């Protein structure tokens, strides 16, 4: 399933791209680290490639061009993801490249980007932890459509904000403490948000001890 969706996603980006510089990069294919991130982290956690753009072009202070490994831009938001290999980004980083890397991050921050560096070693050794990180990253930009928003009260809206801030699944008792409601009321809210397909059950356990996270 991943391979099929990945090929469709790349083909769509190529079809829609009119910028010859970015098109050339896409035609060369994405780097190994980026593909492994998509296969082991992004797709298992998110389930689609909506609003995700590979090799996204940004301008720098010298009127030149730089490229993000991945840009996540739902509703005009600016989220950037870079896959950091240990060799080029740590062990073999000389002074000039270190300064350039810091300038790159500063430029993105000043331009309004939320920047997320992911170590390649973490992708290979800690994929589950990376998936939780990505769910929280996506949650920062998550927008609920009007029909769902109209069905949510203050407790559901605050539950969504609570879920976005966490890097892990949470229990009904944690939500109850946050909302200052009874555990029974918290479970009722969580069941409602699962029905609205905003949250999902994370892991096994009885109804009382289940945990939840953003879809």
């Amino acid at each position: 399933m991943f391979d099929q969706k990945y090929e469709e996603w790349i083909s769509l980006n190529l079809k829609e791209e009119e910028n010859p510089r970015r098109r050339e990069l896409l035609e060369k294919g994405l780097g190994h680290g980026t593909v492994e991130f998509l296969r082991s982290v992004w797709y298992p956690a998110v389930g689609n490639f909506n609003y995700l753009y590979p090799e996204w072009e940004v301008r720098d202070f010298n009127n030149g061009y730089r490229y993000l490994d991945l840009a996540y831009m739902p509703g005009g938001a600016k989220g950037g993801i870079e896959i950091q290999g240990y060799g080029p980004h740590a062990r073999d980083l000389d002074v000039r490249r270190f300064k350039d890397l810091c300038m790159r991050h500063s430029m993105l921050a000043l331009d309004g980007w939320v920047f997320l560096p992911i170590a390649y070693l973490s992708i290979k050794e800690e994929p589950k932890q990376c998936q939780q990180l990505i769910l929280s990253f996506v949650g920062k930009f998550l927008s609920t459509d009007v029909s769902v928003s109209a069905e949510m009260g203050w407790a559901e809206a605050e539950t969504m904000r609570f879920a976005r801030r966490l890097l892990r699944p949470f229990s009904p008792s944690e939500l109850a403490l946050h909302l200052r409601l009874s555990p029974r009321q918290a479970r009722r809210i969580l069941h409602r948000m699962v029905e609205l397909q905003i949250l999902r059950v994370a892991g096994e356990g009885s109804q009382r001890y289940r945990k939840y996270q953003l879809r």
Side-chain angles (χ1 to χ4, degrees):
M1 179 62 71
F2 169 81
D3 291 336
Q4 177 185 343
K5 294 297 183 182
Y6 173 80
E7 291 300 330
E8 291 174 355
W9 175 64
I10 292 293
S11 296
L12 180 62
N13 274 270
L14 279 167
K15 180 180 178 181
E16 295 179 344
E17 184 53 68
E18 297 180 357
N19 182 334
R21 294 180 298 272
R22 180 172 180 253
R23 171 176 282 276
E24 182 178 357
L25 288 174
L26 292 174
E27 288 174 344
K28 289 180 180 178
L30 305 189
H32 171 74
T34 303
V35 176
E36 283 303 304
F37 165 77
L38 293 169
R39 183 190 305 276
S40 302
V41 178
W42 183 276
Y43 193 77
V46 181
N48 59 63
F49 299 116
N50 298 344
Y51 312 114
L52 191 66
Y53 302 91
E55 300 293 353
W56 189 253
E57 184 177 281
V58 294
R59 302 295 291 267
D60 64 18
F61 289 131
N62 297 318
N63 209 33
Y65 304 99
R66 295 174 183 259
Y67 295 88
L68 297 176
D69 290 340
L70 296 161
Y72 181 63
M73 299 186 293
K78 293 180 177 181
I81 301 171
E82 290 267 285
I83 311 305
Q84 311 277 21
Y86 178 67
H89 287 287
R91 185 188 61 223
D92 302 329
L93 200 63
D94 60 28
V95 173
R96 182 189 62 82
R97 291 177 64 189
F98 175 73
K99 288 165 59 179
D100 183 70
L101 183 63
C102 291
M103 183 62 70
R104 173 189 177 90
H105 291 184
S106 298
M107 179 271 295
L108 290 169
L110 291 173
D111 195 35
W113 288 85
V114 175
F115 186 71
L116 191 69
I118 303 287
Y120 177 74
L121 290 176
S122 294
I123 296 170
K124 300 299 292 182
E125 298 172 3
E126 302 156 339
K128 294 296 184 182
Q129 184 176 353
C130 290
Q131 289 172 20
Q132 290 300 317
L133 190 66
I134 288 303
L135 286 172
S136 293
F137 176 75
V138 169
K140 290 184 68 68
F141 309 102
L142 185 67
S143 60
T144 309
D145 62 42
V146 176
S147 62
V148 173
S149 296
E151 297 180 39
M152 288 199 306
W154 73 267
E156 287 86 356
E158 182 57 33
T159 298
M160 182 186 294
R161 284 190 286 270
F162 178 69
R164 289 178 186 176
R165 292 195 295 266
L166 293 181
L167 293 176
R168 56 175 177 76
F170 59 94
S171 66
S173 59
E174 289 178 286
L175 179 64
L177 184 63
H178 176 73
L179 297 179
R180 298 184 180 179
L181 298 174
S182 70
R184 176 175 294 183
Q185 289 172 306
R187 285 193 292 272
R188 188 179 301 120
I189 291 166
L190 289 167
H191 295 164
R192 172 69 169 155
M193 296 188 73
V194 169
E195 291 176 359
L196 290 173
Q197 298 187 346
I198 297 170
L199 298 179
R200 67 181 179 89
V201 177
E204 300 295 330
S206 66
Q207 182 174 338
R208 181 179 298 273
Y209 297 107
R210 285 175 181 166
K211 293 191 175 183
Y212 299 80
Q213 64 186 64
L214 288 170
R215 291 183 67 87

